[in-house]
Amino acid sequence: MSKTFCPLPWNSINLRNNGDLRVCCNTNSYTKNRGILRKEDGTPYNAGRDDLNEARNAELLKEVRTSMMKGEWHSECERCRQEELNGVQSRRGYENDDWGHIMDGALSNTEEDGTINPDDFDIDYFDIRYGNFCNLKCRMCGPTDSHTWYDDFVNMHDKTTYKDTHDLITLTKNAKGKWSTNQYDWFKNSNYYWNNFEKYTNNVKRMYIVGGEPLIIEEHIESLERLVQSGRAKDIEIEYNTNLTNVTDRILKLWESFKQIRVGVSIDGYGDVLEYQRAPIKWKLLYRNMQRLDQNLDINLKCWFTFTVTPYNVLHLPEFMRWKLEESGLKRFNPLTGLRPLVTHHMCHSPKHFNVKVLPAIFKDEVAEKYQEYIDWILASGYSTKVKNSFIKICDGVTDFMLSEDYYKDHWDRFVFETTKLDELRNQDIKSVVPEFKHLL
Ligand code: SF4
């Protein structure tokens, strides 16, 4: 793999859930601009009103390509850079596994300033996010990605506005007395968007559908139906990030028509660890739905655990991997024969107070000690060398990432404030889920 090349700036279109176009979903964490593609006057390109091909030569995307062609890291790719520096599998790595073969053509067909002729590069990959309608309010998330967060946001911050990349969002009370906004409805009843959808999914090989929670969003189902009716479904892989709380027969039937359905289940632990981080999810319901998928042989399914590592579950990660191997009974989730036989983990980079770098030194020591206990366990087990190496690589990568910087001084107070305030609002208690926090909060 080249030092910095990533196929996404050449072969993909990526939306935020407000419809704004960006370099890719990993560019959300480090720069103020959050990877947003803008016109000359600074307005974001938005899928609800702009031509998507025009955005493929946005100034920022040209800059990112130029950096990659020179073998340099662009500042918008900081998240991938940090992960690779610490031995954590980066999104760039995942994408090169799938599309790395386009590199030679990309490098030779791009002008010096990063301009491409969009006709030379098929859109292989389309990352679509239909608003922020979601039934969960995960701790490291917020109102931009989940409408269920609105009430907690207002109670915690005592304000009804916040800034998103497209506008200042103002929450108002709806008829039911709940905080709400229609500022994420860019795709609703939009002929413009659906015309773009038809045009840009013509040669698409993979669609990544996210929300909010995609499986409860009607327009997600309309997308599947359009692809089935037009006969394109058999050539397309659909990939999800989903909390898998809502798997209907209608969706399962539609999935049967696709080349492959790739389900990344947002699961950051089992039992009360999961229920704490992803309230108000119910572990038993999620586990049942995973079993349903595991047993469904009518769909060409590929499933994995998308485990987001935060201060709440960093101690639990190796126990979750042990559970996966020893108790889950799930054969099609991160299968032992696959590239990643345990979990597909991601570090929570932002907000910084939910990045594991925020933890006090004494807690970091406990994490390292616990990881060593589990490494000793896996080494003494009968699992294959591949599984053992993968287990150790994940533990080492997370430890190195955690120790690579110290956010404690600047961000720990914020972690304590948000944790205790949300515990109060949600009637939860971190100390009963992770007793190691007892003396720290
Ligand atoms: S290198 Fe990482 S951040 Fe940059 S475009 Fe690729 S996946 Fe996105």
Side-chain angles (χ1 to χ4, degrees):
M1 189 165 82
S2 120
K3 246 175 45 210
T4 61
F5 176 81
C6 173
L8 294 186
W10 278 268
N11 74 342
S12 72
I13 283 182
N14 302 270
L15 310 188
R16 281 197 78 237
N17 52 6
N18 59 10
D20 283 356
L21 277 91
R22 61 181 170 187
V23 178
C24 86
C25 65
N26 253 23
T27 53
N28 199 34
S29 307
Y30 282 94
T31 68
K32 207 166 158 223
N33 180 53
R34 301 166 76 185
I36 298 296
L37 305 180
R38 297 178 187 276
K39 302 175 192 173
E40 275 180 16
D41 66 1
T43 324
Y45 283 100
N46 188 286
R49 57 168 187 257
D50 293 313
D51 183 75
L52 305 189
N53 257 348
E54 196 187 311
R56 295 177 80 193
N57 275 316
E59 216 38 57
L60 177 61
L61 213 37
K62 292 200 291 185
E63 260 181 37
V64 172
R65 286 189 203 113
T66 313
S67 298
M68 290 177 180
M69 290 192 295
K70 289 186 193 155
E72 294 167 0
W73 284 104
H74 192 279
S75 55
E76 294 285 5
C77 299
E78 176 63 13
R79 178 173 170 152
C80 282
R81 190 190 74 82
Q82 282 207 19
E83 289 179 340
E84 291 180 25
L85 199 65
N86 294 296
V88 176
Q89 174 77 5
S90 68
R91 172 132 215 155
R92 187 180 84 91
Y94 293 126
E95 300 305 336
N96 267 296
D97 286 348
D98 292 332
W99 319 108
H101 58 269
I102 74 160
M103 183 170 85
D104 289 345
L107 297 184
S108 55
N109 284 309
T110 304
E111 290 175 31
E112 213 172 308
D113 71 346
T115 304
I116 58 167
N117 177 353
D119 295 338
D120 289 345
F121 295 96
D122 278 350
I123 293 164
D124 295 321
Y125 179 82
F126 199 156
D127 174 345
I128 301 180
R129 296 175 186 235
Y130 289 122
N132 67 349
F133 191 68
C134 184
N135 53 343
L136 302 185
K137 42 183 179 178
C138 306
R139 290 258 168 174
M140 58 292 186
C141 192
T144 54
D145 292 273
S146 167
H147 85 290
T148 306
W149 246 97
Y150 293 156
D151 283 11
D152 284 354
F153 174 84
V154 173
N155 287 327
M156 185 156 72
H157 300 287
D158 202 20
K159 61 177 187 176
T160 54
T161 58
Y162 61 89
K163 186 98 181 71
D164 203 337
T165 55
H166 64 302
D167 216 341
L168 180 73
I169 309 296
T170 303
L171 302 173
T172 52
K173 288 238 168 159
N174 63 18
K176 291 181 187 158
K178 292 270 180 201
W179 293 105
S180 70
T181 173
N182 61 6
Q183 286 167 277
Y184 290 91
D185 295 347
W186 59 272
F187 53 93
K188 296 256 177 218
N189 306 314
S190 166
N191 283 339
Y192 186 83
Y193 168 69
W194 287 114
N195 287 340
N196 258 338
F197 177 91
E198 295 296 337
K199 180 173 164 193
Y200 288 100
T201 56
N202 219 7
N203 294 313
V204 88
K205 298 182 184 65
R206 183 176 305 158
M207 285 171 58
Y208 183 38
I209 308 189
V210 189
E213 164 48 37
L215 301 194
I216 59 171
I217 294 175
E218 193 52 37
E219 285 76 6
H220 146 253
I221 297 176
E222 179 172 350
S223 304
L224 299 186
E225 285 172 346
R226 281 174 181 254
L227 295 170
V228 171
Q229 277 158 19
S230 67
R232 280 172 288 168
K234 65 180 184 334
D235 302 315
I236 295 179
E237 299 166 349
I238 304 283
E239 180 168 329
Y240 294 96
N241 256 144
T242 167
N243 60 41
L244 210 67
T245 51
N246 191 59
V247 190
T248 61
D249 291 343
R250 183 181 172 203
I251 291 174
L252 290 175
K253 192 74 207 152
L254 281 165
W255 281 356
E256 289 177 16
S257 303
F258 284 85
K259 181 178 175 189
Q260 188 176 58
I261 299 295
R262 302 159 62 93
V263 184
V265 183
S266 304
I267 174 170
D268 326 309
Y270 63 77
D272 57 357
V273 176
L274 178 79
E275 292 184 357
Y276 181 83
Q277 181 149 303
R278 295 198 178 263
I281 200 167
K282 293 285 168 265
W283 161 246
K284 279 190 183 157
L285 170 77
L286 173 59
Y287 185 47
R288 253 200 324 271
N289 283 342
M290 288 195 290
Q291 287 175 313
R292 264 178 90 195
L293 287 198
D294 209 53
Q295 290 154 13
N296 188 322
L297 300 179
D298 297 327
I299 304 166
N300 179 15
L301 271 172
K302 183 172 176 179
C303 306
W304 61 91
F305 305 115
T306 305
F307 191 109
T308 303
V309 185
T310 70
Y312 301 124
N313 64 8
V314 64
L315 275 167
H316 178 74
L317 170 64
E319 167 56 22
F320 182 80
M321 294 194 288
R322 188 208 60 79
W323 171 84
K324 187 266 174 187
L325 291 171
E326 301 267 288
E327 291 176 43
S328 72
L330 301 168
K331 299 273 182 273
R332 294 166 86 187
F333 286 74
N334 292 88
L336 290 183
T337 49
L339 212 54
R340 284 171 271 280
L342 293 159
V343 292
T344 308
H345 69 304
H346 301 275
M347 306 309 298
C348 177
H349 286 251
S350 68
K352 284 188 168 169
H353 49 276
F354 290 137
N355 185 318
V356 290
K357 294 175 185 176
V358 81
L359 288 163
I362 188 170
F363 196 104
K364 288 181 178 174
D365 288 346
E366 284 189 54
V367 172
E369 243 172 68
K370 173 148 293 182
Y371 281 21
Q372 192 53 53
E373 282 170 27
Y374 278 87
I375 287 174
D376 292 344
W377 167 77
I378 194 83
L379 284 174
S381 73
Y383 289 105
S384 68
T385 309
K386 181 179 156 187
V387 170
K388 288 179 181 174
N389 287 345
S390 177
F391 197 105
I392 295 167
K393 192 169 176 229
I394 291 172
C395 290
D396 286 350
V398 172
T399 311
D400 290 349
F401 180 85
M402 176 180 72
L403 296 174
S404 64
E405 273 180 283
D406 190 357
Y407 290 174
Y408 177 79
K409 190 165 151 284
D410 296 331
H411 301 283
W412 175 251
D413 287 350
R414 189 79 215 163
F415 172 79
V416 174
F417 168 75
E418 290 202 12
T419 301
T420 47
K421 185 76 187 167
L422 278 186
D423 277 3
E424 190 187 308
L425 291 169
R426 297 178 178 183
N427 201 19
Q428 291 181 306
D429 182 5
I430 182 61
K431 296 191 280 302
S432 67
V433 180
V434 188
E436 286 80 358
F437 275 116
K438 258 187 190 144
H439 306 296
L440 297 174
L441 297 183

